[in-house]
Amino acid sequence: MYHSMSAEQEAKSALNRPVPVPSAPKADGAKKVLDGAGVRAWANEDIWVELWKKVAFVAPQGGLGAAVDAPIGGLRTTYRDAYAAMVAEVAAVADAQGCPVDHDVVAEVLAMADSQPAEATTSMQRDVATGLPSELDAQVMAISRAGDEVGVPTPVFDVVGAVLAPREAAAREEAAARAGR
């Protein structure tokens, strides 16, 4: 059974995380407004690094979690090596695309995973579990395609995509049938 954080827990968690703001004169104003509202923020030289870090957390959790039917508690214990390998694959793709993420992104993502409630899942996991169309293409398959484009192997993403693709196709066919297409 899938459990997720309540909306209240997610909101509190989001408010306790700093908000990245691109470093530029206009962004400095946004940072001041956020700081004034009590939301921690920081100015970042390259917002793409922050976006890739988010992908490094979300795509492996959603994809691997859906493939093995496990919340983050299982990913950070039983499937930790595969989870870490997926994070490293994201970092390698980002680097090959000219956006080097921190050299310790795997450790950062694992530490973040370790701090999450054990039963936490992503929306993609919940969609796959309930037979709904998911973000498989936009997350897992996108990393595999990006790796192919820049010559970076993504073997764990490729396997996860292959495992989930039939379920995704069935969910999309069912959704289309319900819509009368």
Side-chain angles (χ1 to χ4, degrees), residues 36-136:
V39 176
R40 294 182 306 159
W42 77 93
N44 191 302
E45 293 294 320
D46 189 351
I47 195 66
W48 289 105
V49 170
E50 296 306 319
L51 292 171
W52 275 107
K53 284 181 179 180
K54 180 171 181 161
V55 170
F57 181 73
V58 174
Q61 181 185 354
L64 184 60
V68 299
D69 193 27
I72 199 162
L75 300 182
R76 65 184 183 215
T77 56
T78 306
Y79 302 102
R80 191 176 189 86
D81 290 344
Y83 185 65
M86 290 181 81
V87 174
E89 289 176 15
V90 171
V93 169
D95 187 52
Q97 287 195 345
C99 187
V101 295
D102 296 338
H103 66 280
D104 58 349
V105 70
V106 174
E108 287 177 20
V109 168
L110 291 175
M112 192 174 355
D114 290 340
S115 72
Q116 301 299 309
E119 68 279 357
T121 60
T122 67
S123 60
M124 187 173 101
Q125 286 176 267
R126 294 186 299 274
D127 288 344
V128 170
T130 57
L132 296 172
S134 73
E135 301 133 317
L136 178 67

